[in-house]
Amino acid sequence: MIPEPQVLSSAEALAAARETRALEIGHGILRRVPEIFRQQFGDRPAIIVSDPNTFAAAGHVVQEAFAAAGHVILEPFLFPDPALYAEYRFVDELRAALEKHDAVPVSVGAGSINDLTKLASHQTGRRYLCVGTAASMDGYTAYGSSITHQGSKQTFDCPAPVAVVADLDVIAAAPAAMNAWGYADLLAKVTAGADWIVADFLEVEPIDPLTWNIVQGGLRKAVGDPDGIRGADPEAIALLVEGLMLGGFAMQASRSSRPASGAEHQFSHLWDMQHHTHEGWAPSHGLKVGIGTVAVTALYEQLLNLPLESLDVEACCAAWPDLETLLVRARAAFDQDDLIAVAERELTAKHSSRGGLRVQLETLRRVWPKLRGALRKQLIPLTELKAMLTAAGAAVEPEQISISRPRLRESYLRAFYLRRRFTVLDLAVRAGLLESCLDQIFGPDGIWPCAAAPSL
């Protein structure tokens, strides 16, 4: 069950991390990077990995600091492509450069540069230090690297950085949109926590008290000043940075993204794999996750209004498709071979027999009064959630990232198909309630009125 809330310090969370040994957050600390580097890597040579923008924002100061300290640092590696993205071809490019020497990479940048450096460093048998330049996502300290490869977004196993430096002056000066993206990614931990509560109550995946508190303990305070995020208030930015770093530490400790990722992230992964673009570019992870968080909260609010303690379990079991029927439906929902392959793998892993479903839904009936209370305590009301995202400068409507309402409706079931992790999507599907809830969400009185989408 849900542990008593406990706020953990960044030092306590760092102690639980498996790979990262040092975290420095502060104002004007870029010139301390060589000192932090030496504490972890000794006198090994260093090389900055950056792009022209992040090198101008912070990399040149770090380069100068190494030179001033008399520490050997090679000429920086700068990705020249203005369309730099976390794609495998850039991993290949960086790996080829790193294979020419034994210098320790110092990534200076945000999400894409960190993910590319994380994987290329691992592939060349070395660790690295990260200098974050924006509070745009929680991946700095996360185990694994999220890279687009062979047409689909994939997470490659590789360790997190040995040390992370976050200069709050640099981060506050980043484009305001980037910190709004990070705020949305942090706020998504609210619905991710709700999904873990569901999985715990239904005896699918118990909550781990340590990693739960690393993420959830100080979460409400960290997301409590969205206006400060938009206005680059130093205290609000500091709380945001710390909250995002702690999410990564929890993922390191659990070797899973469960503490920080739920159904809201499945929407983002789906759109990534569909190669969705907005105004010619792939929307940021935070923008997509923010819309996913609103969508998931809307679904929860529909379910919380239902008397699931009176659910007709036998009717649900009678309507439950066997695996082959479910796979046929999933294949019809996608027109990409890679998506079909993922759906087949994930659905096969998580499909239950009717007997197993019956046991689970009987459990749901029994625990629903307490589960509903726990969810209401965990979740932020939809109107308040949207106001918080808007105040921070994040998107709240699907059209803001070129997702139509019919497509968003279809995305609920498609996202369910693509991941075995038990979330509110699984609860709604197994209880036979997803379509009726979507009828309300997208109906005339719902938050996204639109013509009914075809069933998938």
Side-chain angles (χ1 to χ4, degrees):
M1 293 299 176
I2 310 168
E4 287 297 317
Q6 180 181 357
V7 179
L8 300 183
S9 67
S10 57
E12 290 172 316
L14 178 61
R18 298 188 184 207
E19 292 114 16
T20 303
R21 298 195 293 265
L23 170 66
E24 295 286 339
I25 302 173
H27 294 278
I29 60 173
L30 283 183
R31 294 193 178 277
R32 289 198 56 229
V33 172
E35 173 191 347
I36 298 164
F37 182 96
R38 285 194 299 272
Q39 291 170 358
Q40 304 301 327
F41 300 104
D43 59 1
R44 291 181 62 185
I47 180 170
I48 288 175
V49 178
S50 189
D51 66 21
N53 291 330
T54 56
F55 189 79
H60 73 97
V61 175
V62 176
Q63 184 87 10
E64 291 169 1
F66 272 100
H71 195 104
V72 176
I73 185 164
L74 307 188
E75 285 297 310
F77 176 91
L78 303 184
F79 288 104
D81 195 326
L84 181 67
Y85 189 62
E87 290 183 285
Y88 204 88
R89 62 189 174 98
F90 294 116
V91 176
D92 289 337
E93 184 180 330
L94 177 56
R95 184 182 63 248
L98 294 179
E99 287 173 343
K100 297 176 181 178
H101 53 75
D102 64 354
V104 174
V106 177
S107 72
V108 179
S112 292
I113 288 173
N114 182 60
D115 274 338
L116 295 168
T117 306
K118 189 185 300 185
L119 184 53
S121 297
H122 176 63
Q123 290 178 343
T124 53
R126 66 194 88 178
R127 302 294 298 281
Y128 77 107
L129 182 149
C130 169
V131 177
T133 58
S136 54
M137 45 82 230
D138 63 5
Y140 287 120
T141 53
Y143 175 83
S145 183
S146 184
I147 302 289
T148 298
H149 182 48
Q150 295 179 342
S152 65
K153 198 79 165 181
Q154 302 180 37
T155 299
F156 291 84
D157 288 344
C158 50
V162 171
V164 181
V165 177
D167 188 312
L168 295 174
D169 296 332
V170 173
I171 290 173
M178 297 186 76
N179 293 331
W181 303 340
Y183 180 84
D185 201 14
L186 188 59
L187 195 60
K189 281 38 174 176
V190 173
T191 48
D195 283 344
W196 204 357
I197 290 171
V198 171
D200 182 279
F201 268 84
L202 296 186
E203 302 176 0
V204 177
E205 187 174 357
I207 288 175
D208 171 65
L210 174 60
T211 54
W212 171 269
N213 280 318
I214 289 174
V215 174
Q216 300 292 332
L219 180 59
R220 297 311 171 103
K221 182 178 180 181
V223 299
D225 186 9
D227 290 309
I229 300 300
R230 184 190 283 266
D233 175 79
E235 183 176 355
I237 295 295
L239 287 170
L240 173 62
V241 171
E242 182 180 51
L244 292 170
M245 297 298 179
L246 264 58
F249 292 155
M251 288 187 274
Q252 282 188 43
S254 65
R255 274 293 191 270
S256 166
S257 61
R258 168 59 96 173
S261 171
E264 72 294 319
H265 276 71
Q266 291 172 225
F267 285 82
S268 177
H269 297 326
L270 167 66
W271 297 330
D272 280 340
M273 294 180 72
Q274 291 175 325
H275 312 294
H276 175 67
T277 60
H278 168 63
E279 297 179 349
W281 300 89
S284 75
H285 172 75
L287 282 175
K288 296 190 289 281
V289 167
I291 298 299
T293 303
V294 175
V296 167
T297 301
L299 177 56
Y300 266 119
E301 291 199 350
Q302 292 299 318
L303 291 170
L304 290 174
N305 289 328
L306 300 176
L308 298 188
E309 67 274 13
S310 302
L311 184 70
D312 188 338
V313 172
E314 292 307 315
C316 293
C317 291
W320 184 241
D322 59 26
L323 177 58
E324 187 52 41
T325 300
L326 193 59
L327 292 176
V328 168
R329 293 176 185 175
R331 292 173 190 132
F334 299 111
D335 58 5
Q336 297 173 224
D337 289 343
D338 57 333
L339 285 168
I340 291 171
V342 171
E344 290 176 338
R345 182 187 69 230
E346 298 300 297
L347 289 173
T348 299
K350 72 178 180 178
H351 187 263
S352 292
S353 66
R354 287 184 177 177
L357 178 67
R358 181 178 290 105
V359 171
Q360 190 172 76
L361 294 183
E362 291 290 359
T363 300
L364 174 62
R365 280 170 53 107
R366 185 179 71 254
V367 304
W368 181 242
K370 289 185 177 180
L371 173 55
R372 177 164 50 191
L375 290 171
R376 283 179 170 159
K377 183 178 179 181
Q378 170 69 18
L379 292 162
I380 296 173
L382 183 61
T383 53
E384 182 181 345
L385 179 82
K386 292 180 69 176
M388 293 168 73
L389 287 166
T390 300
V396 295
E397 303 297 344
E399 294 87 354
Q400 290 177 276
I401 59 169
S402 299
I403 297 287
S404 70
R405 294 181 183 188
R407 181 178 175 186
L408 178 60
R409 177 175 176 145
E410 293 172 349
S411 294
Y412 280 84
L413 191 55
R414 285 175 170 157
F416 158 78
Y417 287 146
L418 291 179
R419 198 169 197 183
R420 70 188 68 183
R421 176 167 296 161
F422 199 95
T423 71
V424 67
L425 299 176
D426 296 84
L427 173 62
V429 169
R430 289 173 179 236
L433 296 169
L434 181 60
E435 285 302 318
S436 60
C437 288
L438 296 181
D439 286 343
Q440 295 297 315
I441 293 169
F442 294 92
D445 299 320
I447 65 164
W448 291 310
C450 71
S455 297
L456 296 176

